Short mmCIF file of all heavy atoms in Angstrom, two decimals:
data_model
loop_
_atom_site.label_atom_id
_atom_site.label_comp_id
_atom_site.label_asym_id
_atom_site.label_seq_id
_atom_site.Cartn_x
_atom_site.Cartn_y
_atom_site.Cartn_z
N THR J 49 -73.86 -6.91 25.69
CA THR J 49 -73.13 -6.25 26.78
C THR J 49 -73.85 -6.57 28.08
O THR J 49 -75.12 -6.47 28.16
CB THR J 49 -73.09 -4.72 26.58
OG1 THR J 49 -72.50 -4.46 25.30
CG2 THR J 49 -72.27 -4.08 27.68
N ASP J 50 -73.15 -6.97 29.13
CA ASP J 50 -73.75 -7.24 30.39
C ASP J 50 -73.89 -5.96 31.22
O ASP J 50 -73.38 -4.88 30.81
CB ASP J 50 -73.09 -8.36 31.15
CG ASP J 50 -71.67 -7.99 31.65
OD1 ASP J 50 -71.38 -6.80 31.79
OD2 ASP J 50 -70.89 -8.94 31.94
N GLU J 51 -74.53 -6.05 32.38
CA GLU J 51 -74.83 -4.85 33.15
C GLU J 51 -73.57 -4.26 33.77
O GLU J 51 -73.60 -3.12 34.23
CB GLU J 51 -75.84 -5.19 34.25
CG GLU J 51 -75.39 -6.17 35.28
CD GLU J 51 -76.46 -6.45 36.33
OE1 GLU J 51 -77.49 -5.76 36.31
OE2 GLU J 51 -76.23 -7.36 37.15
N ASP J 52 -72.46 -5.01 33.71
CA ASP J 52 -71.20 -4.49 34.20
C ASP J 52 -70.34 -3.88 33.12
O ASP J 52 -69.21 -3.45 33.35
CB ASP J 52 -70.42 -5.57 34.95
CG ASP J 52 -71.12 -6.06 36.21
OD1 ASP J 52 -71.73 -5.20 36.90
OD2 ASP J 52 -71.11 -7.28 36.46
N GLY J 53 -70.86 -3.90 31.89
CA GLY J 53 -70.15 -3.30 30.77
C GLY J 53 -69.28 -4.20 29.99
O GLY J 53 -68.58 -3.77 29.06
N HIS J 54 -69.24 -5.50 30.34
CA HIS J 54 -68.42 -6.45 29.57
C HIS J 54 -69.08 -6.78 28.24
O HIS J 54 -70.32 -7.00 28.20
CB HIS J 54 -68.20 -7.74 30.37
CG HIS J 54 -67.48 -7.53 31.64
ND1 HIS J 54 -68.03 -7.90 32.87
CD2 HIS J 54 -66.24 -7.05 31.93
CE1 HIS J 54 -67.15 -7.62 33.84
NE2 HIS J 54 -66.08 -7.09 33.27
N SER J 55 -68.32 -6.81 27.19
CA SER J 55 -68.82 -7.10 25.84
C SER J 55 -68.55 -8.53 25.43
O SER J 55 -67.50 -9.06 25.75
CB SER J 55 -68.19 -6.14 24.83
OG SER J 55 -68.64 -6.41 23.52
N TYR J 56 -69.51 -9.13 24.79
CA TYR J 56 -69.40 -10.54 24.34
C TYR J 56 -69.73 -10.62 22.85
O TYR J 56 -70.74 -10.09 22.41
CB TYR J 56 -70.33 -11.44 25.13
CG TYR J 56 -70.20 -11.41 26.59
CD1 TYR J 56 -70.79 -10.36 27.33
CD2 TYR J 56 -69.47 -12.40 27.27
CE1 TYR J 56 -70.65 -10.33 28.72
CE2 TYR J 56 -69.33 -12.36 28.65
CZ TYR J 56 -69.93 -11.34 29.36
OH TYR J 56 -69.80 -11.31 30.73
N LEU J 57 -68.89 -11.28 22.12
CA LEU J 57 -69.18 -11.58 20.73
C LEU J 57 -70.09 -12.78 20.68
O LEU J 57 -69.88 -13.77 21.35
CB LEU J 57 -67.90 -11.86 19.95
CG LEU J 57 -67.94 -11.80 18.45
CD1 LEU J 57 -68.48 -10.48 17.92
CD2 LEU J 57 -66.53 -12.04 17.87
N ASP J 58 -71.16 -12.69 19.87
CA ASP J 58 -72.23 -13.70 19.90
C ASP J 58 -72.08 -14.68 18.76
O ASP J 58 -72.34 -14.35 17.59
CB ASP J 58 -73.55 -13.00 19.83
CG ASP J 58 -74.75 -13.96 20.02
OD1 ASP J 58 -74.49 -15.14 20.23
OD2 ASP J 58 -75.89 -13.48 19.92
N PHE J 59 -71.69 -15.89 19.08
CA PHE J 59 -71.66 -17.00 18.07
C PHE J 59 -72.79 -18.00 18.36
O PHE J 59 -72.69 -19.18 18.12
CB PHE J 59 -70.32 -17.73 18.10
CG PHE J 59 -69.27 -17.14 17.20
CD1 PHE J 59 -69.24 -15.80 16.88
CD2 PHE J 59 -68.25 -17.95 16.69
CE1 PHE J 59 -68.30 -15.27 16.00
CE2 PHE J 59 -67.29 -17.44 15.82
CZ PHE J 59 -67.28 -16.08 15.50
N PHE J 60 -73.90 -17.45 18.86
CA PHE J 60 -75.08 -18.27 19.18
C PHE J 60 -76.29 -17.78 18.48
O PHE J 60 -77.15 -18.52 18.02
CB PHE J 60 -75.26 -18.25 20.70
CG PHE J 60 -76.43 -19.11 21.16
CD1 PHE J 60 -76.44 -20.46 20.99
CD2 PHE J 60 -77.48 -18.48 21.83
CE1 PHE J 60 -77.50 -21.25 21.43
CE2 PHE J 60 -78.54 -19.25 22.29
CZ PHE J 60 -78.58 -20.65 22.10
N ALA J 61 -76.42 -16.41 18.42
CA ALA J 61 -77.46 -15.76 17.64
C ALA J 61 -78.87 -16.24 18.01
O ALA J 61 -79.70 -16.59 17.15
CB ALA J 61 -77.23 -15.90 16.13
N GLY J 62 -79.14 -16.29 19.30
CA GLY J 62 -80.46 -16.71 19.74
C GLY J 62 -80.89 -18.07 19.23
O GLY J 62 -82.05 -18.25 18.87
N ALA J 63 -79.95 -18.99 19.25
CA ALA J 63 -80.19 -20.36 18.73
C ALA J 63 -80.69 -20.31 17.28
O ALA J 63 -81.43 -21.18 16.82
CB ALA J 63 -81.19 -21.12 19.60
N GLY J 64 -80.19 -19.33 16.55
CA GLY J 64 -80.57 -19.19 15.12
C GLY J 64 -81.76 -18.26 14.91
O GLY J 64 -82.22 -18.11 13.75
#
Side-chain angles (χ1 to χ4, degrees):
T49 304
D50 68 20
E51 63 180 354
D52 296 321
H54 298 122
S55 177
Y56 304 81
L57 196 56
D58 186 3
F59 270 28
F60 181 64

